[in-house]
Amino acid sequence: MNAARWTQLSPLLDSALDLTGDARESWLADLATTDPDSARDVRELLGSDSARSGTGTLTRALSALTPQSAEMEGERIGDWTLLRTLGAGGMGSVWLAQRSDGTFDGSAAVKLLNLRGLGGAGLERFRQEGTALARLTHPGIARLFDAGVRESGQPYLILEYIDGIRIDDWCDEQRLTLPQRIALFLTTCDAVAHAHAHFVIHRDIKPSNILVTADGTVKLLDFGVARLAQQDGTDADSTPLPFTPAYAAPEQLTAKPESAATDVYALGVLLYSMLTGSMPARPPAAASSVAEWILSEDAAARQSSSSALPKVLRGDLDAILGRALEQDPSRRYQTVTAFADDLRRTMRHEGVSVRQGTAAERLTRFVRRNRVGVLTGGTIALALLTATGVSWRQTRVAEAARDKASRALQLARATGDMQVAMMSMVGPGGRALTPSELLGMARESMETQHRNDPAILSALLGFLAERYADLNDLERQGDVLFAAARAARQANDRPGEASNLCLTAWVMLQAGQNDSAAVRLRDGMALLPQVRPDTSGTIIACNSARSRQFTAAGQFDSAIVVTRQSVALLEADGDTLTSNYTVALNNLGLSQGMSGKARDASGTFARLAMLMQRSGRTNTEAMQVTTGNHISQLVELGELVAARDMLEREIARIGPSENGSAVPLVLRYRGMQVYARLQQDDSVVAQTRRLIADPEAQNPRVQLEAYALLVNALLQLSNPAEAGRMYQAMQPMLAKAPPIPSMRVAAISVGAAIAARRGQVAGALDTLNTFVRAFSKREGGGDQFLHGAYLRASALTLQTGNATAALAQARLAKRAAAIDSLATTRSAGYGDALVAESRAMAAGHDPAAARTAQNALVPLRFGYGARHPHLLQIERWISDTLGAGVTK
């Protein structure tokens, strides 16, 4: 495995590792049709690597190509001393460094590149490239101070340190208008054009590489993967290098020759996202159509509205972005300057090179450039044109309304007839039909009765599909929805066909039929260009399926994007009081939570609960689910007292149900999680036993988690024999559980606890470390789901006397708990991690242990409550071990 081949395979391997099961096999099959050699190599890497032993091909490749920089603090490189890491990625790690030769005081950013294995020719090329980058002296480009290669063979760059924030975040924080965003973007274009003039192609233009300082200066960073270009603008070297796939041009993804147009594409992606808040598809939809789905708050961040923003983008800006994002590089802007020139023309209300524009648009531009002279003369003509247009439009609206009303009446009658018929249906000999039999008979009847009216048949089949959903019969629900799609096609109803195909995909995804779902979703999405933009129901149906597909693949940020589009579309339609909006907001909160954005998710669920209260839906199952989801996010945030208080308020508000059960299932499930985190073991035992025995709670995830929490509570209550029996009872469930880390982590952790209780500490540690190696950084939202595993590993490692390793595990737990900036003062999980860190430091005789323990008390008191027994126990340990003054 040499570096050249590794850099080709690395982004492909990342994509494969984000998928599991059928989804991964389908992806590999698609790759094999276009690049069979890479598909074979990726499959070999996946198959030969041993996650348990860490000795496979993949592990060896990573070890050879990735520098071990965890312990490099204080190391000197050239005239600079490394202080702390600023970040890390596929290309290497970036450190803040201080000048240390006494010549002058100053800071720099040192990038250590993962380019081992290039050989002598590669290192010489790197030196030449550093020389070229040093010639870039544009004020919008972070200066390169030095470049070289360490004795170990690892190249490095020493760059100007920029204290700023990402360009997209700056735009949103400053609430810049679209013209202001374009103006800021143009300064980036000037910097890139300067690099191109020196035959340097950046290759990795993205928001994190473009920072804006406090005074509003834009700085382009990170030429670490830049290329030297020939004077004709084409690439001087064909050696593949890493890139960021979301911003990569098609020629980068297919390893074809790159040019200045490669950077044009990345700039197009950047501008598209700055203006719309969304990433473009491949090929991209018009920015104006995407902006129609923008959330009202995102539009407000651009000092616009959801209705006004698309109008600004429509026309010239759509055309400019379309040209910059052409999939064929020969059809793209060939220079950044040409791209920027067209943008500047729009700012001056002039025509652009990529679009002629209608007569009306040319007139509008003329008026904007010459407002005063034309206002008076244009008023009368405009009034006459408007009157004619209104007359024609009113006629068409009236005809459409009449047709729509007629079809609605026909459908209402057909639905009523079907319901009456279903009430009278019986089986052979007058036997009462089961619900499933009744629906099957109704389908047969309606397909016969309405075979000549496919539009009505499609709608009725949709009604039946909802009934199958009530029965949780996913197989028949999907079959009926697909039949509804076929009927809609016969009726030439493209929105109906697309909706039903996407809903079919959604059901298949629910059933785990990911490959078949991908086919149905692809077919449904292909029809969207034929659907009117105002057909919101179709777009929302397809977005729901796409969100589910992204979630199944672990691509949670993508799920957030499409769910936000649905929310924005419903808000634009004023549809915020129906179940459609409730479902969309709930899905948004779930996607945010799964991506690690627990604070955002908590806010979304709070907003949804308030909306349901205002619309009179407080006493509904949907409200209970919303509250349960909100509680779950508070638990993730470590704000356990707040989670418990919300749970108990909701239980008190609901009161006993008609059958005597005081608490709905969803709240009992969340209660089990809350009391487990609060270490109220008696309550956990009672709750989990009821859930295990409840026929309504036989969901595999609920059962597996309930058993795991029960085992842990029994261990804490000093009942290891019963804990062992329950652990054995859960083994069949664990063997059948899908490889979803957040579903398995509780079970894996208690397995380690059982082993440790039996004196098998080494085996327990091996179990935990194997799990962490397999799933760390694999769920899109970071490692927060591994927090408990890290803590237990730290405690077990400390038992072995290895304080250094225990400290490393504790710090991983701290990182996992640091979901946002409030965690340091509010998260019980963060406080527990600090305590674990302090224990390891104390074992290693580190005098800073007392200060770390002191810092732990603030989040522990907020998360657990001031008088919680766990907190009091920790305070006693601190006082006895580290000194009485620490807890004050």
Side-chain angles (χ1 to χ4, degrees), residues 34-155:
T34 57
D35 189 352
D37 291 340
S38 292
R40 182 196 63 240
D41 291 346
V42 170
R43 190 180 290 277
E44 181 181 350
L45 283 171
L46 291 169
S48 63
D49 189 63
S50 170
R52 276 185 279 271
S53 66
T55 59
T57 304
L58 174 57
T59 302
R60 289 198 301 272
L62 288 171
S63 297
L65 295 167
T66 304
Q68 302 301 312
S69 60
E71 305 297 329
M72 293 182 62
E73 183 175 327
E75 188 167 333
R76 184 161 170 169
I77 295 179
D79 297 327
W80 303 86
T81 299
L82 303 183
L83 300 180
R84 58 181 173 86
T85 54
L86 296 172
M91 277 301 295
S93 58
V94 181
W95 289 74
L96 177 64
Q98 187 76 28
R99 185 83 178 190
S100 53
D101 64 348
T103 305
F104 61 88
D105 292 331
S107 298
V110 177
K111 180 161 188 178
L112 305 175
L113 299 174
N114 294 350
L115 293 177
R116 290 185 187 175
L118 285 178
L123 294 178
E124 179 59 31
R125 177 190 175 279
F126 173 76
R127 292 190 183 97
Q128 294 174 359
E129 195 159 328
T131 301
L133 295 175
R135 294 199 300 265
L136 302 182
T137 57
H138 192 277
I141 295 176
R143 289 173 295 158
L144 178 70
F145 293 149
D146 196 5
V149 180
R150 303 172 67 207
E151 291 182 359
S152 63
Q154 182 186 14

Side-chain angles (χ1 to χ4, degrees), residues 549-844:
Q549 186 182 50
F550 284 134
T551 299
Q555 299 170 347
F556 301 119
D557 286 341
S558 297
I560 290 174
V561 170
V562 297
T563 309
R564 278 186 179 276
Q565 292 173 351
S566 295
V567 171
L569 195 57
L570 288 164
E571 288 177 342
D573 288 348
D575 185 10
T576 59
L577 298 178
T578 66
S579 60
N580 289 335
Y581 191 67
T582 301
V583 170
L585 270 184
N586 187 68
N587 288 342
L588 175 59
L590 292 174
S591 298
Q592 290 169 327
M594 286 185 286
S595 71
K597 299 177 175 63
R599 187 73 59 189
D600 292 344
S602 176
T604 298
F605 289 127
R607 172 185 170 194
L608 178 56
M610 185 177 297
L611 179 73
M612 296 175 74
Q613 290 169 357
R614 290 176 177 173
S615 59
R617 288 178 286 166
T618 302
N619 298 313
T620 62
E621 185 178 0
M623 184 66 173
Q624 296 165 12
V625 171
T626 298
T627 304
N629 288 336
H630 193 177
I631 291 168
S632 175
Q633 297 310 310
L634 291 174
V635 171
E636 284 294 316
L637 290 167
E639 297 174 12
L640 306 180
V641 171
R644 183 197 61 199
D645 291 349
M646 180 176 290
L647 172 72
E648 293 178 351
R649 281 197 307 271
E650 185 67 6
I651 291 172
R653 186 191 64 77
I654 293 172
S657 62
E658 292 181 1
N659 62 7
S661 176
V663 185
L665 175 61
V666 64
L667 295 181
R668 283 188 282 139
Y669 174 60
R670 296 305 183 193
M672 172 187 77
Q673 296 172 321
V674 170
Y675 294 129
R677 285 292 302 276
L678 284 169
Q679 303 179 27
Q680 295 179 222
D681 297 313
D682 288 329
S683 296
V684 173
V685 170
Q687 297 239 14
T688 53
R689 288 193 188 279
R690 282 197 293 268
L691 282 170
I692 288 169
D694 191 338
E696 295 182 4
Q698 297 308 302
N699 178 285
R701 180 166 193 157
V702 173
Q703 288 290 302
L704 184 60
E705 188 172 358
Y707 269 98
L709 295 179
L710 174 59
V711 171
N712 191 67
L714 289 169
L715 287 174
Q716 296 303 315
L717 292 170
S718 300
N719 192 347
E722 180 66 9
R725 286 192 292 272
M726 291 297 101
Y727 182 67
Q728 289 302 316
M730 70 182 282
Q731 291 311 297
M733 286 177 278
L734 183 59
K736 296 177 182 178
I740 302 173
S742 55
M743 182 173 177
R744 300 170 65 92
V745 64
I748 296 296
S749 188
V750 296
I754 288 282
R757 182 62 67 96
R758 294 170 178 169
Q760 302 164 356
V761 175
L765 277 171
D766 182 63
T767 298
L768 287 171
N769 290 330
T770 297
F771 179 78
V772 167
R773 281 198 302 269
F775 293 115
S776 181
K777 292 288 186 185
R778 287 282 305 282
E779 276 206 336
D783 285 355
Q784 68 272 14
F785 69 100
L786 289 173
H787 174 263
Y790 287 138
L791 278 182
R792 196 177 294 272
S794 179
L796 292 175
T797 303
L798 198 58
Q799 286 184 32
T800 68
N802 190 342
T804 301
L807 180 61
Q809 295 282 9
R811 285 174 174 169
L812 288 172
K814 184 171 67 172
R815 183 191 70 182
I819 293 176
D820 62 11
S821 60
L822 296 178
T824 59
T825 57
R826 301 175 68 165
S827 170
Y830 191 86
D832 284 334
L834 286 176
V835 170
E837 186 178 17
S838 178
R839 290 183 189 275
M841 294 168 73

